Amino acid sequence: MSDYTMTIDGEAVSAPDTFGVVNPATGEVAAQAPDCTREQLDRAMAAAQAALPGWRGDEAARRKALHAAADLLFARSEELGRIITLEQGKPLKDATTEVLGAGVWLKYFADLELPREVIQDDDNALVEVVRRPLGVVAAITPWNFPLLLAIWKLAPALLAGNTVVLKPSPFTPLSSLRLGELLRDVLPPGVVNVVTGGDELGAWMTAHPTPRKISFTGSVATGKRVAASAAPDLKRVTLELGGNDPAILLDDADPATVADRLFGAAFANNGQVCSAIKRVYAPESLYDDVVEALAAKARAAKVGDGMAEGVEYGPVNNAPQYERVKELVADALSGGARAAAGGRPVDGPGYFFEPTILADLSDGTRIVDEEQFGPALPVVKYRDLDEAIARANGTHFGLSGSVWGADPDRAADVAARLECGTAWVNTHLALAPHQPFGGFKWSGVGVENGPWGLYGFTEIQVIHRAKR
């Protein structure tokens, strides 16, 4: 088991206690991570606060450092990818792609403009609107894309001139710890501090008096607690929470043509993507063909240890999520649903579950109404398109959705009726650093990515200079 250290004020820091990090492909503890104490968190916050003046005062140095950090990730993509596969479970190819994607995000923000807007320039006054950093940012990240989603927060926060204390999920702390170790070579001490621990550490961070912003990605329930904890201190928050993304197939869609893309967008990262397709609505005339086309993809999928050659889908990341997937599939089957493919755990060690396509079920079934976040996809039949849209919108979620059909203009008109932050047409999971990402309703507050994500890490200040 390798030794991983926290990063506080640019230094390697261990902790009095550690906690085990499980390899989900085996179910066995593969490494130990430091369990941050309250005093160590205070030190990390103090280091971030002390680093603020120098960091926010030199925009050119910030941009140079972000480029250097990106180059570092590109150079260490294989090393970091293996760590992600060990702790998260995804195939090594996908894990390495995640690291490379994190580098792309860093490069994008390193070159993104920080606008200084002149809103008045006349004989009376010169009035400018500038964006200033908020201060220390507490960043709390999930286990599905542990490195990429950390960079989604770090890159804009750092460009804007903030400093950061980062806490990864206790299920996947190792890649963030290693990231912190590597960043010591390219960032001034205190600019990025990485601490690890359980839910208690997250609660300490959100209630801590130092941060002026909390950026959180995770479940709806935890997001509500984060917002409640931030409210007494009026901390700014960005919350990227759960999704139950619908995909609506129109009656002119070709099941054979769209099945591959539907399956890919539903089962990416083994279904553990907040904006993955979580339920498919198919018209009666196409229903059986859609179910069978998706089931054929599920039956052909290669599931196994992410370190093995040719594996397409790894395990569910952790025991609680594995149990949830089992529970939701069992509930659907006991209620009359049919497993067109899969439907069972895979025999043997680890948290493996068969890629599952569920048919003959409808809204009101838990796996349709709730977010499964795993390798099981319900396909729901509809007769009337307006009814399908209403059912797609009839949840507390509103992250993303997609519409599929032969006429892209018609599909776009339907997509515009979805109540969600991103509505795709004939695609899904098309994410990019320049494209804002956020949710309606319980799926979140604020957005990440693009200039809009950058602005979320800033305060607006008016500079008004009188001319007479």
Side-chain angles (χ1 to χ4, degrees):
M1 295 185 184
S2 300
D3 292 327
Y4 291 85
T5 57
M6 298 186 292
T7 297
I8 297 176
D9 203 15
E11 298 180 350
V13 176
S14 56
D17 296 313
T18 63
F19 59 93
V21 180
V22 171
N23 178 348
T26 65
E28 302 294 330
V29 172
Q32 295 288 325
D35 195 0
C36 183
T37 68
R38 197 155 197 164
E39 183 272 335
Q40 288 174 323
L41 177 63
D42 288 341
R43 284 173 51 199
M45 291 293 181
Q49 186 69 47
L52 257 176
W55 181 248
R56 70 187 174 198
D58 192 339
E59 182 179 324
R62 299 200 300 271
R63 294 185 185 278
K64 182 179 179 181
L66 289 181
H67 275 295
D71 293 337
L72 194 58
L73 292 189
F74 292 149
R76 298 298 189 103
S77 60
E78 184 175 343
E79 174 196 348
L80 288 165
R82 295 187 72 84
I83 294 172
I84 291 171
T85 296
L86 175 73
E87 65 180 353
Q88 202 279 335
K90 67 184 62 176
L92 183 57
K93 179 182 177 181
D94 295 344
T96 304
T97 299
E98 176 178 341
V99 181
L100 296 174
V104 170
W105 250 258
L106 280 164
K107 289 284 187 182
Y108 169 79
F109 279 103
D111 293 328
L112 187 60
E113 181 183 357
L114 267 169
R116 189 179 184 101
E117 303 169 71
V118 177
I119 62 171
Q120 182 182 340
D121 187 5
D122 56 23
D123 293 341
N124 294 314
L126 172 62
V127 183
E128 295 176 285
V129 175
V130 299
R131 293 188 174 271
R132 295 175 56 90
L134 291 157
V136 175
V137 172
I140 303 175
T141 53
W143 47 258
N144 57 335
F145 289 89
L147 195 73
L148 179 61
L149 294 183
I151 295 301
W152 277 30
K153 301 179 187 307
L154 290 177
L158 295 177
L159 174 63
N162 304 283
T163 55
V164 181
V165 178
L166 169 66
K167 176 203 170 297
S169 165
F171 292 117
T172 54
L174 306 179
S175 53
S176 291
L177 288 169
R178 184 64 181 133
L179 175 67
E181 292 169 357
L182 294 172
L183 290 180
R184 294 173 202 160
D185 293 334
V186 298
L187 296 176
V191 169
V192 171
N193 306 271
V194 182
V195 295
T196 49
D199 293 343
E200 186 177 42
L201 177 60
W204 293 344
M205 289 178 69
T206 57
H208 199 281
T210 297
R212 298 316 311 147
K213 163 93 179 195
I214 301 169
S215 182
F216 170 81
T217 300
S219 71
V220 172
T222 305
K224 289 181 177 182
R225 291 196 293 272
V226 169
S229 180
D233 194 30
L234 294 180
K235 292 180 174 70
R236 292 357 182 211
V237 295
T238 296
L239 306 174
E240 199 276 279
L241 309 178
N244 189 3
D245 288 16
I248 299 177
L249 273 63
L250 302 182
D251 54 13
D252 60 356
D254 177 10
T257 300
V258 302
D260 190 57
R261 284 176 288 165
L262 284 172
F263 188 85
F267 288 85
N269 200 31
N270 212 21
Q272 298 166 121
V273 185
C274 54
S275 54
I277 294 174
K278 305 288 173 55
R279 49 199 167 121
V280 172
Y281 291 91
E284 280 186 332
S285 60
L286 303 179
Y287 185 78
D288 291 341
D289 290 341
V290 170
V291 169
E292 179 50 37
L294 290 170
K297 299 289 181 186
R299 290 191 289 265
K302 186 172 181 181
V303 178
D305 187 329
M307 294 291 188
E309 188 72 26
V311 165
E312 297 173 296
Y313 301 97
V316 177
N317 171 255
N318 57 77
Q321 189 61 30
Y322 175 66
E323 293 299 325
R324 174 169 171 78
V325 172
K326 289 199 297 183
E327 176 190 353
L328 289 176
V329 171
D331 173 77
L333 294 175
S334 68
R338 170 173 61 92
R344 297 179 300 275
V346 176
D347 290 337
Y351 308 135
F352 292 98
F353 198 90
E354 295 176 339
T356 297
I357 302 297
L358 294 171
D360 304 336
L361 74 175
S362 188
D363 301 76
T365 307
R366 286 183 60 203
I367 200 166
V368 179
D369 295 352
E370 301 177 20
E371 181 182 26
Q372 65 273 47
F373 216 70
L377 178 67
V379 185
V380 180
K381 185 184 301 183
Y382 76 85
R383 290 184 179 179
D384 178 76
L385 179 58
D386 289 338
E387 175 197 356
I389 296 169
R391 289 156 71 184
N393 289 334
T395 75
H396 287 300
F397 297 100
L399 190 56
S400 311
S402 56
V403 179
W404 304 73
D407 181 346
D409 291 333
R410 179 188 177 215
D413 288 341
V414 175
R417 297 171 62 186
L418 294 179
E419 296 171 356
C420 57
T422 302
W424 285 292
V425 176
N426 289 328
T427 189
H428 201 105
L429 280 184
L431 303 173
H434 66 277
Q435 182 175 303
F437 180 78
F440 290 9
K441 298 185 281 189
W442 284 10
S443 285
V445 176
V447 300
E448 296 189 285
N449 299 331
W452 306 273
L454 173 63
Y455 299 161
F457 288 99
T458 66
E459 296 268 31
I460 284 180
Q461 184 179 50
V462 176
I463 307 294
H464 186 125
R465 291 191 284 178
K467 291 187 178 179
R468 57 168 144 186

